[in-house]
Amino acid sequence: MIGCGVISKQYLASFDVLPDVQLVAVADLDRSRAEAAVEGREGVRVLSVEELLVDPEVDTVLNLTIPAAHAEVDLKAIAAGKNVYSEKPFAVTTEEGAQVLAAAREAGVLVGSAPDTVLGTGTQTARTAIDQGVIGAPVAAMATMVTPGHERWHPQPDFYYVPGGGPLLDMGPYYIHALVTLLGPVSAVIGAGSRLRSERTIGSGPREGETIPVTTDTHVTGVLVHESGALSTLVMSFDAVASSAHPIEVHGTEGTLAVPDPNRFDGDVAVRRLSGADWETLPVTGGYREAGRGIGLQDMATRGEGLRASGELGQHVLEVMNAVLDSARSGHRVEIASTVERPEAVAAEGVPAQG
Ligand SMILES: NC(=O)c1ccc[n+]([C@@H]2O[C@H](COP(=O)([O-])OP(=O)(O)OC[C@H]3O[C@@H](n4cnc5c(N)ncnc54)[C@H](O)[C@@H]3O)[C@@H](O)[C@H]2O)c1
């Protein structure tokens, strides 16, 4: 594991239950963070980044660094012959994401990408419902994520306000991975964005009160045209207090599906049928149960090239997000060059028991 910041704690909790993932070493630019992360954990070595990359015991590098470092760390790991699994976004620019995939193909190693939350029961139950025709033919979706900003709680929030961050590249992966899981790949986008404040104030930790610059859009909205013809409307904001909208709604000819927060693994899926008078909660019909961050790595360990949280999906979503920002800048619709197969559905199954 390279990068031992805030999110590493959630992965560390998963390592205790995932049967085919074993943590052998950790590294961070700031060695004290790596040491603190695995304090009291037997058998996990603290190494420098360079040592970890060439360590013979490491077959896969879990990249939990900040977005600006994702591609660089992935490329170094691939050059050392390791599989990689990166936190989202897959990279900052579409070009560097493509370089990672090309290098991995050349080296014959696997590439995985977060988010894996969409492999949980929430998004997967919604997918089963759509695949079974519960809402008829899918026509459109709406995805809404609004928050006043992560600088209120994250102690090192700089990366959220530079290219690679912003509400779209930070939170968009959850929503767009879910939309691709539900409705298939995207062929074109139209976007608009704004950034009304040029700085933000850190709200917690040792740097509380410090201001940081904003160099990316903080309210982004757009339309994703899926290859199927379905249209998704996206609202991603670090500039709004709250929303009462469902995180994702999918509209079909026979009904509307309310899909839970794709930044969570679970949550209820409800349907409002054309013939019905009220919302109906659906039973869980798909997804890894009681999953946590790291289930995508487990899926990669067991399925190899058939991994669901794949680099190809991460790269397609990265291209879509950057195209929304390009469209916002130019005022023009942008075609998407890449495509991706919907990952195989996850049948309703538990996290495999340890050992
Ligand atoms: N914080 C969250 O709630 C959250 C949730 C889901 C995903 N993520 C994603 O996880 C990633 C990390 O987020 P975080 O909140 O843990 O950030 P963080 O700033 O708390 O931690 C990142 C760590 O990576 C280290 N690092 C940076 N560049 C490095 C490099 N080149 N080599 C080695 N170490 C390096 C830093 O020293 C730091 O300890 C981001 O991509 C973020 O989008 C974060």
Side-chain angles (χ1 to χ4, degrees):
M1 182 171 90
I2 301 183
C4 302
V6 173
I7 202 58
S8 66
K9 292 185 181 62
Q10 291 191 24
Y11 281 89
L12 285 163
S14 294
F15 294 147
D16 295 333
V17 292
L18 296 175
D20 298 315
V21 181
Q22 192 196 349
L23 181 66
V24 295
V26 296
D28 195 293
L29 281 182
D30 179 342
R31 192 182 173 92
S32 69
R33 286 194 196 163
E35 282 164 355
V38 294
E39 201 186 334
R41 233 169 224 271
E42 293 286 306
V44 180
R45 290 171 294 140
V46 176
L47 302 175
S48 71
V49 173
E50 305 313 323
E51 286 167 346
L52 188 148
L53 287 172
V54 295
D55 192 277
E57 223 193 337
V58 172
D59 63 21
T60 302
V61 169
L62 171 62
N63 182 355
L64 304 185
T65 63
I66 57 171
H70 287 175
E72 181 195 325
V73 170
D74 284 353
L75 286 168
K76 282 187 187 159
I78 291 166
K82 314 293 188 193
N83 303 310
V84 292
Y85 182 97
S86 170
E87 248 306 330
K88 52 79 196 166
F90 185 54
V92 174
T93 68
T94 307
E95 292 70 26
E96 64 185 10
Q99 276 172 23
V100 171
L101 287 188
R105 261 194 302 273
E106 178 103 337
V109 299
L110 299 173
V111 184
S113 173
D116 52 6
T117 45
V118 298
L119 304 181
T121 53
T123 304
Q124 292 291 324
T125 292
R127 177 188 175 150
T128 307
I130 291 172
D131 290 356
Q132 290 175 347
V134 169
I135 60 165
V139 176
M142 286 162 26
T144 311
M145 188 296 302
V146 309
T147 156
H150 295 339
E151 78 281 11
R152 291 159 59 89
W153 59 270
H154 197 291
Q156 313 282 352
D158 313 67
F159 73 84
Y160 290 122
Y161 292 98
V162 297
L168 184 62
L169 265 82
D170 177 49
M171 298 301 285
Y174 299 109
Y175 291 79
I176 303 173
H177 278 248
L179 292 170
V180 172
T181 298
L182 300 174
L183 299 173
V186 175
S187 57
V189 304
I190 301 155
S194 65
R195 78 184 79 150
L196 299 181
R197 280 177 278 167
S198 59
E199 52 187 37
R200 299 274 177 147
T201 305
I202 299 177
S204 72
R207 297 169 62 203
E208 185 175 347
E210 188 184 322
T211 56
I212 54 170
V214 175
T215 57
T216 192
D217 285 353
T218 51
H219 184 97
V220 181
T221 176
V223 175
L224 314 185
V225 181
H226 292 266
E227 279 178 21
S228 68
L231 302 177
S232 292
T233 306
L234 209 59
V235 176
M236 303 279 123
S237 187
F238 283 171
D239 281 321
V241 174
S243 168
S244 60
H246 292 295
I248 296 179
E249 283 185 349
V250 184
H251 303 293
T253 49
E254 300 295 324
T256 289
L257 214 53
V259 182
D261 184 350
N263 186 13
R264 293 177 51 92
F265 290 88
D266 55 5
D268 285 343
V269 177
V271 65
R272 179 74 190 263
R273 299 178 202 267
L274 182 60
S275 55
D278 211 346
W279 292 91
E280 213 181 290
T281 301
L282 296 176
V284 169
T285 51
Y288 289 111
R289 287 173 196 265
E290 292 170 32
R293 281 191 166 84
I295 194 74
L297 201 52
Q298 167 70 30
D299 188 86
M300 174 167 158
T302 54
R303 292 171 59 90
E305 287 178 2
L307 79 168
R308 294 183 173 96
S310 69
E312 283 75 16
L313 178 54
Q315 172 67 6
H316 180 65
V317 170
L318 177 66
E319 184 187 354
V320 168
M321 296 189 296
N322 280 323
V324 168
L325 296 176
D326 285 348
S327 172
R329 275 188 290 268
S330 70
H332 294 123
R333 167 183 163 122
V334 177
E335 304 298 320
I336 302 300
S338 68
T339 187
V340 70
E341 300 234 339
R342 289 204 302 166
E344 195 178 310
V346 184
E349 54 192 79
V351 176
Q354 190 150 20

